[in-house]
Amino acid sequence: MNAATRPFGRGDAQRIADAFRPAMPLGNRFDYYYSLGKLRSDPLYPGVLAALRGCDAPLLDLGCGLGLLAHALRLDGQRVAYAGVDVDAGKIARAARAAARAGLDAVRFDVVDVEQGLPAHAGSVALLDVLQYLTREQRRQLLADAIDRLAPGARLVIRTGLDDDSGRGRATRLADRVAHWLGWMVSTPKSYPTRAGLEARFRLAGLTAHFTPLHGDTPFNNWLVVATR
Ligand SMILES: C[S@@+](CC[C@H](N)C(=O)[O-])C[C@H]1O[C@@H](n2cnc3c(N)ncnc32)[C@H](O)[C@@H]1O
């Protein structure tokens, strides 16, 4: 595995997760342990950091959750302006609190339902583990909206499970359903894109796209897709 497909080491993961510790000693530690576990086990952010390195366009992170990508960017020395949006108002409030606590600059968070349209933006766009919460039609519209917001030289960075018949595909679908049943994900998983479908969409929009497996040691069918004009 190269560095971009390995999860964060203990020190870096701990540094980021510390911003999610509860303010009170007996406060809820769920976000802290979730962040630590995610950063230590999933190569998502190292893969995305490698995809964004060298690009100074502002970044719009759609379905940003707790905003871990903002922390990862700053840890990596990437200073691009960051805007994270998510439909889950609770997560956005906690993301904003943790970013303020870590002293991240040029970072903002807003509650936005991406099914209802995207905020104005010209730069790079990240869509990390979000596409499965949309129907095929909503995904088509969201990708079109995201592509419209790509500035010249900027990058569209997607991590997604792909729809195929593999054991990894089945594990991904099961884990997404469990996350919803447990209440961690307010949205229900609806459908998964196929590689051929995404490739056709990018071709039509005049984008060049690269697909790389990004599941590390997890059992999931996760891919990193980086598209540019
Ligand atoms: C699996 S989490 C990924 C979070 C983050 N992108 C990351 O990789 O750490 C999926 C996120 O998408 C958000 N989401 C789902 N449907 C959405 C919608 N219609 N509009 C905005 N966010 C949405 C969820 O609230 C959740 O935070």
Side-chain angles (χ1 to χ4, degrees), residues 44-45 63-65 86-87 91 112-115 128-129 185 187:
L44 170 62
Y45 303 108
C64 64
D86 201 286
V87 71
K91 277 188 193 166
V112 171
D113 179 351
V114 299
E115 290 171 27
L128 310 181
D129 297 350
M185 230 32 88
S187 317

Side-chain angles (χ1 to χ4, degrees), residues 97-215:
R97 209 158 42 232
R101 199 170 187 196
L104 306 189
D105 60 350
V107 163
R108 59 169 296 159
F109 291 97
D110 291 295
V111 179
V112 171
D113 179 351
V114 299
E115 290 171 27
Q116 306 301 319
L118 302 187
H121 174 74
S124 294
V125 179
L127 266 166
L128 310 181
D129 297 350
V130 177
L131 291 183
Q132 71 271 33
Y133 297 107
L134 307 173
T135 62
R136 244 170 256 258
E137 181 48 36
Q138 287 166 342
R139 189 161 54 238
R140 193 198 59 71
Q141 186 58 54
L142 176 60
L143 286 173
D145 290 348
I147 289 168
D148 274 353
R149 284 160 177 76
L150 276 184
R155 298 168 196 173
L156 174 58
V157 182
I158 298 174
R159 209 255 311 244
T160 186
L162 292 177
D163 187 13
D164 60 28
D165 219 11
S166 63
R168 284 186 173 281
R170 284 190 289 279
T172 307
R173 290 191 286 275
L174 178 65
D176 284 338
R177 281 202 300 273
V178 170
H180 175 63
W181 291 333
L182 292 177
W184 171 241
M185 230 32 88
V186 291
S187 317
T188 330
K190 298 200 179 91
S191 69
Y192 293 78
T194 62
R195 178 168 179 163
L198 288 176
E199 282 173 339
R201 187 141 309 289
F202 295 139
R203 217 173 18 252
L204 269 175
L207 303 186
T208 307
H210 294 281
F211 287 69
T212 321
L214 190 60
H215 47 67

